[in-house]
Amino acid sequence: MYELVLLAPEAAVEMVSDALVALDALSVSVEDADALTPSEQALFGEPGMPAPKAGWNRSRVVALFQTEAEAREAAALLIVQDFFEGCEVLGVQAVVEQDWVRLTQSQFDPVEITPTFWIVPSWHEPPAAAQQVIRLDPGLAFGTGTHPTTRMCLRWTAQQGAQGQRVLDYGCGSGILAIGAAKHGAREIDAVDIDPAAVEATRLNAAANHAQLNAGLPDRALGEYDLVLANILATPLKVLAPLLCSHVRAGGHLVLAGILARQADELREAYAPWVTLSVSDEEDGWILMTAVKA
Ligand SMILES: C[S@@+](CC[C@H](N)C(=O)[O-])C[C@H]1O[C@@H](n2cnc3c(N)ncnc32)[C@H](O)[C@@H]1O
């Protein structure tokens, strides 16, 4: 396989990417050409909200082709297009053969939640000190334990315990939080997600971990719970405030993640009619907000 590598300004990046797809590129990837330099731009967006910007000031566009001739032909065709003005061909290079399975696996080591609670991919042995272990491989659904928001929720559950509790994992992704609750003694667990692929992943991961839980779409969440965990993002969490609070029993806990530190006040305000949220943990700019319902 061969890569055609281009540089494109923000105004041209979409046209260039579309043209590469039309020219039968096997894949097209776009990244910040200034990544890891002082000019790197962080672009954050949230689902359902408009993209903050069409692209970076300068994007590095990489298109994959089966043969060198196809890559060079695509470059020759692009160069003469009007929309290519301001763009540059950086080169055509052979893609080095890799053992992709081994490479992917090497990027996922066991993740420590607490010294005795670990997330361990199937190709690793659990560390000797691990007393509670979730066996989980990266898949289509979010939640491998490598993201700070997931880790903070799991750490909270490990520290507070869930013995005998009825637990709701709202936005379950891979099911990791629900399985974590099961490993810490929860007795009845519902795990729900709007994405059917996440529901299926949760079922499979729960079975692999011998965790008893009910996975389903959001209407599967019924009644009140001792603990409601929701790691989504600030905007949906604000919309879901009345619903999530209605599922927490009096004296029960609400645990929210997917919130950036600067969003704490807006979350506190959105939940104020039902509970008083406070920041319980912080990692890499993300915060965990929790409350006990009166
Ligand atoms: C950041 S992932 C969290 C996955 C996992 N719970 C974790 O902590 O790693 C958020 C999940 O919430 C789901 N989600 C987003 N909006 C939702 C909504 N309104 N109702 C239910 N699930 C939602 C997404 O499909 C996604 O699987």
Side-chain angles (χ1 to χ4, degrees):
M1 300 246 202
Y2 286 79
E3 284 179 343
L4 166 60
V5 187
L6 308 164
L7 199 61
E10 186 188 338
V13 71
E14 202 163 335
M15 288 284 272
V16 168
S17 304
D18 288 349
L20 285 163
V21 172
L23 290 167
D24 289 337
L26 299 172
S27 73
V28 178
S29 59
V30 181
E31 51 197 50
D32 185 357
D34 296 311
L36 304 177
T37 74
S39 312
E40 177 172 4
Q41 279 178 289
L43 298 182
F44 294 111
E46 288 202 16
M49 305 289 284
K53 234 165 155 278
W56 294 279
N57 288 341
R58 299 180 331 138
S59 293
R60 186 171 179 274
V61 183
V62 180
L64 197 62
F65 289 91
Q66 197 73 52
T67 64
E68 183 176 3
E70 283 173 301
R72 293 202 181 281
E73 193 181 343
L77 283 166
L78 278 179
I79 287 169
V80 295
Q81 306 301 320
D82 292 348
F83 59 76
F84 202 71
E85 199 184 324
C87 301
E88 201 182 318
V89 175
L90 296 180
V92 171
Q93 60 203 34
V95 178
V96 180
E97 282 294 327
Q98 299 253 30
D99 180 343
W100 293 108
V101 172
R102 198 175 273 267
L103 184 69
T104 306
Q105 290 185 346
S106 72
Q107 289 165 357
F108 290 93
D109 284 334
V111 175
E112 178 181 332
I113 305 300
T114 72
T116 57
F117 179 27
W118 288 73
I119 314 300
V120 185
S122 58
W123 51 87
H124 279 284
E125 282 304 312
Q131 288 166 15
Q132 290 93 13
V133 171
I134 300 181
R135 301 305 302 236
L136 199 78
D137 294 341
L140 289 181
F142 185 102
T144 56
T146 51
H147 199 270
T149 57
T150 309
R151 271 203 305 271
M152 287 191 291
C153 292
L154 289 168
R155 195 154 57 222
W156 189 94
T157 306
Q159 284 163 355
Q160 303 289 323
Q163 201 58 43
Q165 292 188 4
R166 183 163 193 251
V167 175
L168 174 62
D169 176 0
Y170 203 97
C172 56
S174 65
I176 189 168
L177 303 185
I179 298 167
K183 298 281 174 190
H184 287 86
R187 93 189 134 80
E188 192 189 329
I189 305 163
D190 290 332
V192 302
D193 203 292
I194 41 169
D195 179 357
V199 173
E200 186 55 23
T202 295
R203 286 196 185 120
L204 293 172
N205 288 328
N209 282 280
H210 312 290
Q212 292 286 329
L213 56 80
N214 309 306
L217 295 173
D219 60 4
R220 170 107 222 178
L222 292 171
E224 292 187 339
Y225 297 81
D226 302 298
L227 170 60
V228 174
L229 298 151
N231 175 15
I232 309 187
L233 278 173
T235 303
L237 283 177
K238 284 192 283 183
V239 175
L240 290 166
L243 179 95
L244 293 177
C245 292
S246 75
H247 283 306
V248 185
R249 73 158 172 83
H253 286 91
L254 177 65
V255 174
L256 303 179
I259 308 160
L260 294 166
R262 63 175 158 77
Q263 296 169 321
D265 285 344
E266 48 185 288
L267 263 290
R268 219 174 262 123
E269 202 174 305
Y271 279 76
W274 303 279
V275 294
T276 305
L277 283 176
S278 54
V279 177
S280 303
D281 202 351
E282 178 155 13
E283 199 180 320
D284 284 350
W286 296 93
I287 53 172
L288 188 75
M289 299 194 83
T290 62
V292 177
K293 191 165 165 186

PDB file of all heavy atoms in Angstrom, residues 32-41 58:
ATOM      1  N   ASP A  32      -4.176  17.552  12.415  1.00  0.00           N
ATOM      2  CA  ASP A  32      -3.598  18.889  12.521  1.00  0.00           C
ATOM      3  C   ASP A  32      -2.142  18.836  12.064  1.00  0.00           C
ATOM      4  O   ASP A  32      -1.330  18.124  12.658  1.00  0.00           O
ATOM      5  CB  ASP A  32      -3.701  19.354  13.990  1.00  0.00           C
ATOM      6  CG  ASP A  32      -3.241  20.789  14.174  1.00  0.00           C
ATOM      7  OD1 ASP A  32      -2.801  21.411  13.191  1.00  0.00           O
ATOM      8  OD2 ASP A  32      -3.347  21.289  15.312  1.00  0.00           O
ATOM      9  N   ALA A  33      -1.830  19.597  10.993  1.00  0.00           N
ATOM     10  CA  ALA A  33      -0.446  19.593  10.495  1.00  0.00           C
ATOM     11  C   ALA A  33       0.497  20.222  11.515  1.00  0.00           C
ATOM     12  O   ALA A  33       1.713  20.028  11.442  1.00  0.00           O
ATOM     13  CB  ALA A  33      -0.371  20.349   9.172  1.00  0.00           C
ATOM     14  N   ASP A  34      -0.061  20.965  12.475  1.00  0.00           N
ATOM     15  CA  ASP A  34       0.791  21.619  13.484  1.00  0.00           C
ATOM     16  C   ASP A  34       0.752  20.882  14.816  1.00  0.00           C
ATOM     17  O   ASP A  34       1.142  21.446  15.846  1.00  0.00           O
ATOM     18  CB  ASP A  34       0.328  23.063  13.670  1.00  0.00           C
ATOM     19  CG  ASP A  34       0.527  23.864  12.389  1.00  0.00           C
ATOM     20  OD1 ASP A  34       1.635  23.788  11.834  1.00  0.00           O
ATOM     21  OD2 ASP A  34      -0.426  24.513  11.930  1.00  0.00           O
ATOM     22  N   ALA A  35       0.252  19.623  14.784  1.00  0.00           N
ATOM     23  CA  ALA A  35       0.194  18.850  16.035  1.00  0.00           C
ATOM     24  C   ALA A  35       1.581  18.753  16.659  1.00  0.00           C
ATOM     25  O   ALA A  35       2.590  18.664  15.943  1.00  0.00           O
ATOM     26  CB  ALA A  35      -0.345  17.450  15.747  1.00  0.00           C
ATOM     27  N   LEU A  36       1.608  18.804  17.979  1.00  0.00           N
ATOM     28  CA  LEU A  36       2.838  18.700  18.779  1.00  0.00           C
ATOM     29  C   LEU A  36       3.804  19.860  18.540  1.00  0.00           C
ATOM     30  O   LEU A  36       5.004  19.736  18.776  1.00  0.00           O
ATOM     31  CB  LEU A  36       3.552  17.355  18.520  1.00  0.00           C
ATOM     32  CG  LEU A  36       2.702  16.108  18.762  1.00  0.00           C
ATOM     33  CD1 LEU A  36       3.463  14.851  18.404  1.00  0.00           C
ATOM     34  CD2 LEU A  36       2.230  16.052  20.219  1.00  0.00           C
ATOM     35  N   THR A  37       3.281  20.973  18.003  1.00  0.00           N
ATOM     36  CA  THR A  37       4.090  22.201  17.903  1.00  0.00           C
ATOM     37  C   THR A  37       3.344  23.285  18.677  1.00  0.00           C
ATOM     38  O   THR A  37       2.170  23.095  19.025  1.00  0.00           O
ATOM     39  CB  THR A  37       4.234  22.665  16.435  1.00  0.00           C
ATOM     40  OG1 THR A  37       2.974  23.237  16.033  1.00  0.00           O
ATOM     41  CG2 THR A  37       4.623  21.540  15.505  1.00  0.00           C
ATOM     42  N   PRO A  38       3.973  24.431  18.918  1.00  0.00           N
ATOM     43  CA  PRO A  38       3.271  25.500  19.656  1.00  0.00           C
ATOM     44  C   PRO A  38       2.021  25.990  18.908  1.00  0.00           C
ATOM     45  O   PRO A  38       1.133  26.596  19.506  1.00  0.00           O
ATOM     46  CB  PRO A  38       4.324  26.611  19.760  1.00  0.00           C
ATOM     47  CG  PRO A  38       5.633  25.894  19.619  1.00  0.00           C
ATOM     48  CD  PRO A  38       5.382  24.742  18.693  1.00  0.00           C
ATOM     49  N   SER A  39       1.912  25.731  17.586  1.00  0.00           N
ATOM     50  CA  SER A  39       0.729  26.193  16.837  1.00  0.00           C
ATOM     51  C   SER A  39      -0.409  25.177  16.841  1.00  0.00           C
ATOM     52  O   SER A  39      -1.434  25.380  16.188  1.00  0.00           O
ATOM     53  CB  SER A  39       1.107  26.451  15.373  1.00  0.00           C
ATOM     54  OG  SER A  39       2.261  27.212  15.300  1.00  0.00           O
ATOM     55  N   GLU A  40      -0.247  24.042  17.553  1.00  0.00           N
ATOM     56  CA  GLU A  40      -1.312  23.024  17.587  1.00  0.00           C
ATOM     57  C   GLU A  40      -2.605  23.653  18.093  1.00  0.00           C
ATOM     58  O   GLU A  40      -2.610  24.466  19.009  1.00  0.00           O
ATOM     59  CB  GLU A  40      -0.896  21.886  18.531  1.00  0.00           C
ATOM     60  CG  GLU A  40      -1.970  20.839  18.672  1.00  0.00           C
ATOM     61  CD  GLU A  40      -1.504  19.608  19.462  1.00  0.00           C
ATOM     62  OE1 GLU A  40      -0.356  19.605  19.958  1.00  0.00           O
ATOM     63  OE2 GLU A  40      -2.291  18.678  19.570  1.00  0.00           O
ATOM     64  N   GLN A  41      -3.734  23.270  17.434  1.00  0.00           N
ATOM     65  CA  GLN A  41      -5.037  23.811  17.822  1.00  0.00           C
ATOM     66  C   GLN A  41      -5.888  22.695  18.397  1.00  0.00           C
ATOM     67  O   GLN A  41      -6.099  21.689  17.724  1.00  0.00           O
ATOM     68  CB  GLN A  41      -5.789  24.280  16.572  1.00  0.00           C
ATOM     69  CG  GLN A  41      -5.425  25.605  16.034  1.00  0.00           C
ATOM     70  CD  GLN A  41      -6.262  25.820  14.786  1.00  0.00           C
ATOM     71  OE1 GLN A  41      -6.048  25.186  13.763  1.00  0.00           O
ATOM     72  NE2 GLN A  41      -7.248  26.676  14.898  1.00  0.00           N
ATOM     73  N   ARG A  58      -4.030  24.358   9.184  1.00  0.00           N
ATOM     74  CA  ARG A  58      -3.330  23.571   8.162  1.00  0.00           C
ATOM     75  C   ARG A  58      -3.531  22.110   8.519  1.00  0.00           C
ATOM     76  O   ARG A  58      -3.215  21.700   9.639  1.00  0.00           O
ATOM     77  CB  ARG A  58      -1.817  23.861   8.172  1.00  0.00           C
ATOM     78  CG  ARG A  58      -1.470  25.305   7.880  1.00  0.00           C
ATOM     79  CD  ARG A  58       0.027  25.574   7.889  1.00  0.00           C
ATOM     80  NE  ARG A  58       0.801  24.725   8.756  1.00  0.00           N
ATOM     81  CZ  ARG A  58       1.984  24.200   8.423  1.00  0.00           C
ATOM     82  NH1 ARG A  58       2.496  24.422   7.236  1.00  0.00           N
ATOM     83  NH2 ARG A  58       2.649  23.447   9.280  1.00  0.00           N
TER      84      ARG A  58
END
